Amino acid sequence: MRKVLSLLLLPLAVMAGLSSAYAQDPVGGTYVQSLDELSNQKAYTIDCARGAFLTKNGYLASTAHSSLKDADPAKFAILSYENNYYLYSVADDKFVKNNGELSDRLTNGTEEALKMDPKTNPYFLFYFTINGANYGLNTNGDDPYGYVINSWMTADGGNQYRIAEAGDFDPTNALAELEYYFHQAPTVTYVVKDNKDNIIFTSNPITVELGTTITSLPEKYQRPYYSYNTVNVTISEKETVIGFTATWEGPFEISDDFASAHWYALAMRGTWYVTSAKTANDGAYQTQNANVLGLVEESYHWAFMGNGYDGFQILNKAAGEGMSFGYTNDNKKDQGIPTLLDDNEGNHAWNIAPSRSTIANSFTLNISGTNLYINQYGGAGGSMKFWNSANNVTDAGSAFSVMEVPTDFAEYVNSEIAPYFDAAYFGLNDEARAAVGYDDSYKTTCSFDEYKRLTEAIAEVITDKSNFVYPETGYYRIKSAQYPGRYMSYAEINGAPMIATVVNPEESAANIIKLTALGDYKYLVSVGGLYATSPSASVKVALETESVEFTAVVNGPGKGTFTTGAQYGALHCAASSSPAYYVVGWTDAADASQWIIEDVEAASVDVTIGETGYATLNALWPVTIPEGVKAYTGKIDSKDGALELFLTEVNSTIPSATPVVLKGNADTYTFNFTDDVETLDNDLKGTYAETDAAGKYILAKPERKYIGFYLAETGTIVAGKAYLELPANAGEVKGITLVGDNATGIASVENTTTENNAVFNLAGQRVSEAQKGIFIINGKKVLK
């Protein structure tokens, strides 16, 4: 069976003016003085001042490397075939490819001849012509194999080679392989068509073995953004043509001509748009922060003709037909300026490949075969210039993207105009709606002229702050416009009341904020009967009894800022890893200083009283006591050596942040918010967030005990409940009992009492059960 050698054809060029002869003796026999002395029947050694050639692990090598310095030189044949030379390892029976690899099979792209050009005897320069450029074969001790193939072509001691005869060689098999490869081996030609049946690429004939099965287009013939069909062709003829269809799946539609072009807005860095207007300082095209209205201008419209093989031509609508984005050889350099040129002048083919920057769906524009990419220098308005760097593929300044030039502007009405009228607060009022001439039908369809009219009318009415809807005095939930789902809320930090933001506002009345309208767009911001204080830069905003006036400023549709007017006087939702994002002071215009106001569906709090009639409540707002419920504040006192909890009934309204004990039949009751009332003297403590119960007296009913406040060793208390903390001189009090049911919201309670629940009257007589009055139970006085 014929063995097909894939061999790299390297031209050997010997250059003039080389240095004098080496001092050392020839490695082999007589040095070759000219190309005429070479013979296909001879083997040779090849050396230079740094070392001699050999082979190692399937590659050409040199004794120039320290690990090979004691190795014997190898024998090579320099085969002349059809006016070219091919370097052949005699010991390995393989050809040397243009990357130094040894190969017994010639393949397309590796059959370049070795160039040998003798100048000053007996020295030769060896090099390969790869893709039209000359790459020298150089001896280099730093490379693991002792040689490199690079662009260095200056004659020196590392590339001035001598060739010495080293014996006879039978070239029959090697020459037969060359003959077979170039004249007998079957070839395949790949033809690529687009979806319109236009041929966009044809490969050179590629040699293959008979019987090879082709299923896909070789990767080196594929281009970015195309998908290709598959085939199943077994090679049985001398010449075979295989066709493939390339389907374009790129970021834009390819246009056929200027008249029917599909126009796009071409963006740089994802937000700045390329315009055919030039910068004043250097004449380069620039980028602008164009709004949607600006993007309808033809200077921002670009289209793409061509394909991924020949390159893309980039049209500009304002420039007109016959002009496209291009470059000349003069500006084909780093910081050179691509420009719009007549199609008959300069170069207009652009290579398009996906960008590896963080800009989604972006691509790069560069000159094929180079590292010259179009890059945006500077911010908005910056110049579009060439940057000669491999870093372009990841740089945001080389990342282009496209967006459709809109024809129906309903999308922009929904995103930019409708929010002004859909917002409950900080949106435009009915009078402004009428002045703008807006109705909801524009959300469905809107022409450019109508969109332009609406935006101009909006720009007019928003200059008058009286056209906006502001909240009246009342209860609201106030949501951060920057951080989704975060609402202003009462918080305690090291026991001090603060204002923060939390998620899930429905879980607690602590998320309900009261705005007190003072007129002239000024407000008091309060929660839990306390007021937000003056903000300062990055400092947590405290809640105190003294009020501070904030001015509401609209900063966008449905978004407003509460500010004192100082530089850092705005309430600002600070980013934090804490469960509660603190509200701090910052600038008015910052995104996290913007808030969205929502109505509270029910300004009330619901409480469930259990079967035996007791619960607790700590409402952040004044609430009315519903029918069927009694509410009590509590005072701790000592009488006859025993601690007593004195309960005082509250009239119809419970003041804000006033913890109470509730008594009533088993049911769920609604406590509605009401106007402020005076505070009451009280020893009960209240929770505003989930609180550690350990060391606190919490309302509970341990097994075989009366309901009361018992010392907890573990557990938590949910927000909005009451508990007791006894004085430091109280001693080891286990509990103060009531008669009633478990309180809701207690996670767990440790029962530490050991008494037997015996009941005595004040005369010391034991009774079967407590009726009405004061009784002694487990050594403590109990009110019934």
Side-chain angles (χ1 to χ4, degrees):
M1 181 175 179
R2 175 173 292 277
K3 173 183 176 188
V4 180
L5 295 184
S6 140
L7 116 103
L8 208 54
L9 311 182
L10 324 187
L12 271 121
V14 185
M15 303 188 67
L18 302 186
S19 62
S20 59
Y22 293 106
Q24 66 265 33
D25 294 330
V27 175
T30 305
Y31 286 132
V32 173
Q33 301 297 310
S34 70
L35 294 176
D36 294 337
E37 295 181 18
L38 291 174
S39 170
N40 286 349
Q41 283 75 37
K42 294 292 183 180
Y44 302 94
T45 58
I46 302 172
D47 74 329
C48 69
R50 293 179 185 167
F53 278 150
L54 57 133
T55 61
K56 171 188 174 183
N57 298 333
Y59 277 86
L60 184 68
S62 171
T63 59
H65 193 269
S66 58
S67 66
L68 301 172
K69 64 181 180 179
D70 296 326
D72 293 330
K75 295 180 181 180
F76 294 88
I78 301 175
L79 298 172
S80 175
Y81 181 80
E82 295 185 347
N83 298 318
N84 286 308
Y85 293 96
Y86 302 91
L87 191 60
Y88 189 84
S89 171
V90 173
D92 298 283
D93 194 24
K94 293 187 178 185
F95 292 93
V96 178
K97 296 169 61 175
N98 63 6
N99 62 356
E101 183 181 2
L102 303 181
S103 176
D104 60 3
R105 175 163 300 161
L106 286 175
T107 58
N108 180 260
T110 62
E111 75 276 13
E112 294 90 347
L114 174 69
K115 302 293 189 291
M116 301 170 54
D117 193 2
K119 295 297 180 183
T120 300
N121 298 333
Y123 306 117
F124 296 81
L125 290 188
F126 293 0
Y127 63 91
F128 298 94
T129 301
I130 305 173
N131 295 329
N134 292 332
Y135 285 77
L137 182 56
N138 301 303
T139 304
N140 187 336
D142 294 331
D143 185 89
Y145 288 94
Y147 78 95
V148 294
I149 298 174
N150 60 23
S151 59
W152 181 260
M153 295 294 294
T154 302
D156 59 23
N159 64 4
Q160 299 178 96
Y161 294 105
R162 300 175 302 183
I163 305 170
E165 295 183 12
D168 295 330
F169 172 68
D170 182 357
T172 303
N173 290 337
L175 291 174
E177 299 301 341
L178 290 171
E179 175 69 16
Y180 176 75
Y181 178 81
F182 285 106
H183 299 290
Q184 300 176 34
T187 63
V188 171
T189 299
Y190 296 99
V191 176
V192 179
K193 296 183 177 182
D194 62 19
N195 286 335
K196 298 179 181 178
D197 208 35
N198 299 311
I199 295 176
I200 57 177
F201 173 75
T202 301
S203 75
N204 292 324
I206 311 302
T207 58
V208 295
E209 291 188 45
L210 285 173
T212 299
T213 298
I214 307 296
T215 59
S216 60
L217 183 68
E219 186 174 345
K220 64 181 177 180
Y221 298 141
Q222 297 182 25
R223 296 295 182 269
Y225 295 119
Y226 283 104
S227 64
Y228 300 87
N229 64 308
T230 58
V231 298
N232 190 348
V233 178
T234 300
I235 304 304
S236 59
E237 300 178 358
K238 180 67 173 68
E239 296 179 356
T240 304
V241 176
I242 302 179
F244 287 89
T245 298
T247 301
W248 175 252
E249 297 175 345
F252 49 78
E253 180 181 312
I254 300 175
S255 299
D256 292 327
D257 51 42
F258 186 91
S260 63
H262 191 118
W263 301 103
Y264 296 91
L266 183 61
M268 166 58 66
R269 296 180 183 264
T271 55
W272 299 329
Y273 293 92
V274 183
T275 173
S276 58
K278 295 183 177 181
T279 58
N281 59 336
D282 56 20
Y285 290 114
Q286 60 185 323
T287 56
Q288 296 289 351
N289 281 321
N291 59 27
V292 177
L293 287 174
L295 292 183
V296 302
E297 297 176 9
E298 293 186 351
S299 62
Y300 288 96
H301 295 188
W302 304 87
F304 301 82
M305 289 170 42
N307 59 69
Y309 289 88
D310 302 318
F312 284 94
Q313 189 177 359
I314 304 176
L315 316 177
N316 180 262
K317 196 170 186 179
E321 191 171 2
M323 300 280 288
S324 59
F325 210 41
Y327 58 92
T328 65
N329 290 333
D330 290 338
N331 56 27
K332 183 183 172 183
K333 59 185 178 181
D334 191 25
Q335 295 197 46
I337 300 175
T339 186
L340 281 165
L341 297 170
D342 187 286
D343 290 344
N344 297 318
E345 300 176 2
N347 306 281
H348 299 265
W350 295 96
N351 181 54
I352 293 180
S355 167
R356 296 205 299 269
S357 73
T358 58
I359 310 287
N361 302 317
S362 59
F363 55 88
T364 58
L365 296 174
N366 90 299
I367 301 174
S368 181
T370 74
N371 275 332
L372 282 169
Y373 289 76
I374 300 180
N375 186 278
Q376 196 245 4
Y377 284 67
S383 300
M384 308 293 294
K385 296 182 180 179
F386 283 123
W387 183 26
N388 186 14
S389 172
N391 293 331
N392 279 281
V393 295
T394 58
D395 186 74
S398 296
F400 290 90
S401 56
V402 296
M403 66 168 281
E404 297 278 353
V405 176
T407 55
D408 186 336
F409 288 78
E411 173 187 350
Y412 301 99
V413 170
N414 280 279
S415 62
E416 299 174 6
I417 295 175
Y420 277 108
F421 300 104
D422 292 342
Y425 301 101
F426 297 148
L428 291 168
N429 56 30
D430 291 340
E431 291 78 6
R433 176 188 290 262
V436 170
Y438 170 81
D439 63 64
D440 287 342
S441 65
Y442 291 120
K443 293 182 180 180
T444 304
T445 181
C446 185
S447 68
F448 168 70
D449 289 339
E450 281 300 301
Y451 174 73
K452 183 178 182 181
R453 183 190 64 77
L454 289 171
T455 55
E456 291 173 349
I458 287 285
E460 179 71 23
V461 299
I462 63 175
T463 60
D464 184 351
K465 55 187 177 182
S466 68
N467 285 325
F468 288 93
V469 178
Y470 295 87
E472 298 177 352
T473 297
Y475 298 100
Y476 302 93
R477 287 196 166 96
I478 303 180
K479 179 172 65 175
S480 169
Q482 173 76 356
Y483 299 105
R486 291 205 161 268
Y487 290 75
M488 282 191 190
S489 178
Y490 181 100
E492 285 190 0
I493 303 170
N494 298 325
M498 298 282 180
I499 191 165
T501 63
V502 296
V503 295
N504 300 324
E506 67 279 6
E507 291 186 357
S508 172
N511 308 119
I512 298 177
I513 306 297
K514 185 176 183 180
L515 295 177
T516 304
L518 304 176
D520 197 24
Y521 314 108
K522 297 187 181 299
Y523 292 87
L524 304 181
V525 180
S526 61
V527 59
L530 301 174
Y531 296 93
T533 56
S534 293
S536 55
S538 299
V539 176
K540 301 178 184 69
V541 177
L543 290 168
E544 297 179 355
T545 57
E546 295 296 325
S547 62
V548 171
E549 293 183 3
F550 291 88
T551 299
V553 179
V554 179
N555 278 328
K559 300 185 297 184
T561 300
F562 292 97
T563 178
T564 62
Q567 181 180 3
Y568 297 103
L571 298 177
H572 180 93
C573 182
S576 169
S577 59
S578 169
Y581 281 36
Y582 301 127
V583 173
V584 300
W586 200 244
T587 57
D588 299 1
D591 289 341
S593 298
Q594 314 309 315
W595 302 91
I596 298 169
I597 298 177
E598 298 177 348
D599 287 319
V600 175
E601 293 183 3
S604 61
V605 59
D606 290 340
V607 180
T608 298
I609 297 179
E611 290 297 330
T612 50
Y614 284 94
T616 65
L617 171 65
N618 179 43
L620 285 174
W621 302 108
V623 293
T624 57
I625 302 171
E627 186 177 351
V629 177
K630 291 186 177 183
Y632 301 90
T633 57
K635 292 292 293 181
I636 297 292
D637 202 356
S638 177
K639 187 175 182 181
D640 298 331
L643 286 176
E644 293 182 336
L645 174 63
F646 290 91
L647 301 178
T648 301
E649 185 173 354
V650 180
N651 292 327
S652 60
T653 301
I654 304 172
S656 61
T658 301
V660 293
V661 174
L662 303 177
K663 184 176 181 181
N665 295 327
D667 204 346
T668 297
Y669 298 89
T670 297
F671 292 73
N672 293 310
F673 292 3
T674 187
D675 295 332
D676 291 336
V677 293
E678 293 184 2
T679 58
L680 301 173
D681 194 16
N682 195 14
D683 284 339
L684 292 172
K685 307 295 183 183
T687 60
Y688 301 95
E690 188 175 272
T691 303
D692 184 8
K696 300 176 177 61
Y697 290 82
I698 58 179
L699 188 64
K701 186 182 182 305
E703 185 179 357
R704 298 179 63 189
K705 300 293 181 181
Y706 289 104
I707 184 121
F709 286 93
Y710 288 89
L711 181 63
E713 294 182 356
T714 62
T716 56
I717 313 171
V718 299
K721 299 300 174 182
Y723 64 91
L724 276 174
E725 286 183 345
L726 298 186
N729 61 358
E732 296 184 3
V733 176
K734 302 300 181 182
I736 298 178
T737 59
L738 304 170
V739 176
D741 182 45
N742 295 23
T744 60
I746 307 302
S748 67
V749 177
E750 183 75 18
N751 179 19
T752 58
T753 60
T754 57
E755 293 84 348
N756 58 10
N757 289 327
V759 181
F760 299 87
N761 61 24
L762 292 180
Q765 299 169 323
R766 183 167 183 166
V767 297
S768 59
E769 61 177 308
Q771 299 295 323
K772 187 173 182 180
I774 298 176
F775 293 84
I776 298 172
I777 304 174
N778 295 334
K780 298 176 179 60
K781 292 181 179 180
V782 177
L783 171 67
K784 169 63 173 159

